[in-house]
Amino acid sequence: MLEIGGLLKEGKGKRLYATNDPDTCVVYFKDEAMAFHGLKRGRILGKGEVNNAVCKHIFEMLTEKGVENHFIRQLDARQSLVKRVEIVPFAVKVRNIVAGSLARRIGYPIGTKLDTTVLECVLRSAEDGDDPLVNTTHILAMKLATEEEVNQMLAMARRVNEILVSYMREINIEVIDFKLEFGRYHGKIILADEITPDTARFWDARTHEPLDIDRFRRDLGNVEQAYQEVLHRMMGEE
Ligand code: C5P
């Protein structure tokens, strides 16, 4: 019998609880939203339920396609059981179209299509500003991961992108960019964390309107509706 234990960690959009099995933990998806490193806070009603369902859908699809990840099963509307991993201390951002910090850094207009996929490794930063960009030499010098692990993560990020872009195209959503986190599970690198409108930029393919956290960040309105819309389309309820 699964027993849910103490709080392990609380992040922007989730809480992580221990269980009576040292190999698993429980993710609880919150409605709270945060942007600009905590400077802007709010609530997106129903977001927790949407993100839990979106993660289940995407992670199960990735498992089917051979991308190992932490998802085990959904427990209820807001909680899922996942493998308990040691999180690798840098994230990988995957970009197909220019937006956000990349637009600021390279000066290309938002919406510019990138001919080849851009992968960025970033350290998590508590500061107000963009997450510090690091390359493989920084990661090795800081002993954050081995070269083999970095290569595995980048290859997995490309594969996730291929799968996600082609799936989302079918439901008329453009995948602009997203952020991935990885973990070590019994010595092996697997995909962890979440893939949701909280950690990705999803645009309606017809109108190019954001269907993601940018609606909250930029006060665009209809935030709840945008999250629900992504889930409806995934469930074939468009
Ligand atoms: O802000 P930036 O353009 O670098 O973000 C790229 C992608 O990573 C966006 O989809 C954004 O929502 C996501 N991201 C995230 N968590 C952060 C920073 C960015 O999920 N701390």
Side-chain angles (χ1 to χ4, degrees), residues 13-126:
K14 304 188 294 296
R15 284 197 282 270
L16 207 60
Y17 294 95
T19 72
N20 53 338
D21 173 359
D23 269 347
T24 69
C25 53
V26 169
V27 187
Y28 174 94
F29 287 86
K30 306 191 287 187
D31 280 356
E32 278 76 30
M34 214 190 264
F36 312 118
H37 299 274
L39 290 180
K40 179 168 180 172
R41 287 164 195 265
R43 227 175 123 80
I44 303 172
L45 273 181
K47 172 170 84 72
E49 294 182 11
V50 168
N51 283 354
N52 193 28
V54 165
C55 273
K56 170 187 159 65
H57 194 73
I58 294 178
F59 281 133
E60 283 181 342
M61 179 171 65
L62 292 175
T63 301
E64 228 171 77
K65 306 248 182 212
V67 179
E68 278 199 65
N69 62 75
H70 74 163
F71 184 81
I72 301 174
R73 67 186 156 90
Q74 189 171 349
L75 296 176
D76 60 33
R78 284 177 182 268
Q79 302 188 99
S80 286
L81 187 68
V82 300
K83 293 169 188 160
R84 186 164 174 179
V85 300
E86 174 210 339
I87 287 285
V88 176
F90 63 91
V92 179
K93 290 179 181 174
V94 182
R95 301 179 182 273
N96 299 304
I97 291 177
V98 175
S101 65
L102 183 63
R104 288 192 286 279
R105 185 159 4 89
I106 66 172
Y108 280 28
I110 291 170
T112 309
K113 190 178 172 346
L114 295 160
D115 286 339
T116 54
T117 303
V118 169
L119 300 177
E120 299 173 343
C121 297
V122 297
L123 302 178
R124 252 173 262 105
S125 149

Side-chain angles (χ1 to χ4, degrees), residues 149-161:
E149 286 177 330
V150 178
N151 291 338
Q152 274 173 11
M153 289 168 62
L154 296 179
M156 286 170 82
R158 280 188 192 283
R159 182 74 186 124
V160 170
N161 190 43

